[in-house]
Amino acid sequence: DDPEVGAAYGRQLPSREANLLATHARLFNYPGEMRTIRLKDRAELGFRSCFLSNSFAAYRVNDLIAVGGFPTCVILGEDTAVAARMLLNGKAICYRADASVYHSHNYTIAEEFRRYFDTGVFHARSPWLLDSFGGASGEGRRFVVSEIRYLLETAPWLLPEAALRTLMKLAGYRLGRIESILPLLLKRRLSMFRGYWTSTSPKRRSVG
C-alpha cells in the first residue's frame, strides 16, 4: 500500500529439522519486529540496511525495472544488490515479520566455508555496495556475540563447533575477497556455486 516501498520480505523461521546453529541464524536475521528501511537508516544499520532475501520476498515491478532488474553477473546476492539500488534510488525496503515461512539450512562446516567464499567474491566484485553501505564486519561481530549468548543458554557444548565455523566463515570470506589473484581451478573448488566459474567471462564484474 505504501508507494515508497520497492520491495518487502517476510520472516523466515527455522524448520522442524533445523539444528540449534541454524535456528539461531534464523532468529538473528529475522526478528519479530517489523521495520521499513530507507536510505537514511544506513547511518544506524550500515550494511544491514540492504538486507533482503529472495526466498520470501515481493517486488514492485516498476521499481525493480527502474534499478535494472536482477543483476545476472553476480555469484549470489542479487537480492541484496536490488535492495541497495532501490534504497539509493529513493525507495524503501519493508520487513514484514507478520508474514512467515519455514526456511533454514543445516550447512556443514565445509558448506559454510564455500558460501562465505562466494559472499567474499560478491563483495569483491561489487565495490559500489560496500562503498555505499559500509563493510559487513560489524554485522558479523553482532552475529557472533548473539550466537555465543544463545548457545550459552541452550547448548554450551556447541561453542567449540560454533567457534570453528566462525573461523571457517572468516577464512572463506577473506579468500573470496582476494579471488582475483586465485587460479580459476582453485576458485571452482572453493565455491558453493561452481557453475558461476564455468561462465565464458569469469572475470566479469557487477555494475554499480
Side-chain angles (χ1 to χ4, degrees), residues 2-29:
D2 185 348
E4 289 188 15
V5 174
Y9 68 103
R11 191 178 190 186
Q12 295 181 27
L13 301 172
S15 65
R16 210 173 275 178
E17 298 78 22
N19 59 38
L20 286 174
L21 295 173
T23 296
H24 168 262
R26 283 302 179 261
L27 297 177
F28 177 85
N29 287 319

